[in-house]
Amino acid sequence: MSVPQILLIGHGAVAAEVRAAADSTGAFAVGAVLVRPEKVAAVQAELPGMTVIGSLKDLDFTPVVAAECASHSAVRAYGADLLLRGIDFVIASIGALTDDALYAELRAAAQKGGAKLILPAGAVPGIDALNAAMVGGVDKVSYVSRKPPGAWKGTPAEAAVKLDALTEPAVFYIGTARAAARDYPKNANVAATVALAGLGFDATEVRMIADPGVQANIHEITASGAFGDMHLVIRGKPLKSNPKTSSLAAYSTIRAILNCVRPVQI
């Protein structure tokens, strides 16, 4: 039996974890890596023996699933086309879905193409429980992201606090999941996931903290409703290659791919 082939979109830290999982599990193979056209030559040089393409027009096989591990712009560029082709689409950059028009386009494309838009749980636990609780009714959901100051570099947090000079925790953002995921696309995909599983982008409260006293990326979800009360905390280790990304976020993307190729989903 041939190994299922996937299309991998992106060439960053999460994509590297997906390629490694393909090798270690043997459950799937990366049939092609899709990057921006101007990056094809450089990425091909880094990945000898692997097919690297710069456009969906160059895709010469039908992948069992396409996995986006690149950026919000990649979701916009490729998502609807893939779904219309009937190809399931796993996205890591869930914050892209703060764009209501894009989200509606992807849902419509999935329905028309008979494919699934798959949103991994990412770096936080309990997304399944939160979404299940919505059946009975949820009254309030909040999310807190606490990371070392270095993890917030290159984001609007730099304009709010002096990250290198912090000696105690600094709350630099309080607001909705929509604005958090939009303005912190590399850090706040979790906020988008929590919002989509629960009360939505505008009713989900988000707080972001730069804390020099922690080494882990700490995610906290609090919810209440007909089901009872929920308080979940995870102290996740960041990827060594990218401190902005929790290792569990990469593993969650891999799990979503495995669920597409294995006979049993869990």
Side-chain angles (χ1 to χ4, degrees):
M1 182 180 295
S2 61
V3 176
Q5 290 188 311
I6 74 163
L7 172 64
L8 179 60
I9 303 171
H11 182 57
V14 175
E17 295 291 330
V18 172
R19 295 197 310 271
D23 292 336
S24 64
T25 67
F28 65 94
V30 177
V33 175
L34 175 60
V35 296
R36 292 197 298 270
E38 66 271 18
K39 290 191 171 185
V40 170
V43 174
Q44 186 68 78
E46 286 187 44
L47 302 176
M50 185 164 287
T51 300
V52 181
I53 60 177
S55 169
L56 287 178
K57 294 179 181 178
D58 301 323
L59 189 64
D60 61 1
F61 70 101
T62 301
V64 67
V65 63
E68 175 277 318
C69 305
S71 63
H72 288 195
S73 60
V75 176
R76 296 187 185 93
Y78 309 120
D81 193 346
L82 288 163
L83 291 164
L84 285 170
R85 296 185 187 200
I87 299 170
D88 290 345
F89 187 42
V90 173
I91 67 171
S93 304
I94 294 178
L97 302 184
T98 57
D99 182 337
D100 291 334
L102 174 63
Y103 192 22
E105 180 187 16
L106 294 177
R107 291 199 310 269
Q111 185 173 19
K112 186 174 181 179
K116 296 291 185 183
L117 177 63
I118 301 170
L119 312 182
V124 291
I127 291 300
D128 56 341
L130 175 60
N131 194 234
M134 288 293 295
V135 175
V138 172
D139 302 319
K140 184 176 181 181
V141 179
S142 64
Y143 164 65
V144 178
S145 177
R146 183 187 299 265
K147 298 183 180 182
W152 298 109
K153 289 187 176 181
T155 76
E158 291 182 311
V161 295
K162 295 181 178 179
L163 294 173
D164 290 330
L166 289 178
T167 57
E168 59 184 25
V171 178
F172 61 84
Y173 176 87
I174 299 175
T176 66
R178 184 181 299 278
R182 181 193 63 217
D183 297 339
Y184 295 82
K186 297 294 185 181
N187 293 76
N189 279 309
V190 170
T193 306
V194 171
L196 288 165
L199 292 175
F201 285 109
D202 298 313
T204 301
E205 302 172 4
V206 174
R207 184 180 296 247
M208 297 185 191
I209 304 169
D211 188 343
V214 303
Q215 300 299 315
N217 293 342
I218 302 174
H219 305 281
E220 180 178 1
I221 298 174
T222 303
S224 60
F227 72 97
D229 300 298
M230 177 190 301
H231 184 203
L232 300 171
V233 179
I234 184 169
R235 293 171 174 83
K237 294 181 179 180
L239 286 174
K240 293 180 180 179
S241 55
N242 184 359
K244 292 181 174 63
T245 301
S246 296
S247 58
L248 193 58
Y251 303 155
S252 180
T253 297
I254 293 165
R255 170 184 173 267
I257 295 169
L258 289 171
N259 271 340
C260 289
V261 301
R262 294 187 296 201
V264 177
Q265 295 188 10
I266 187 169

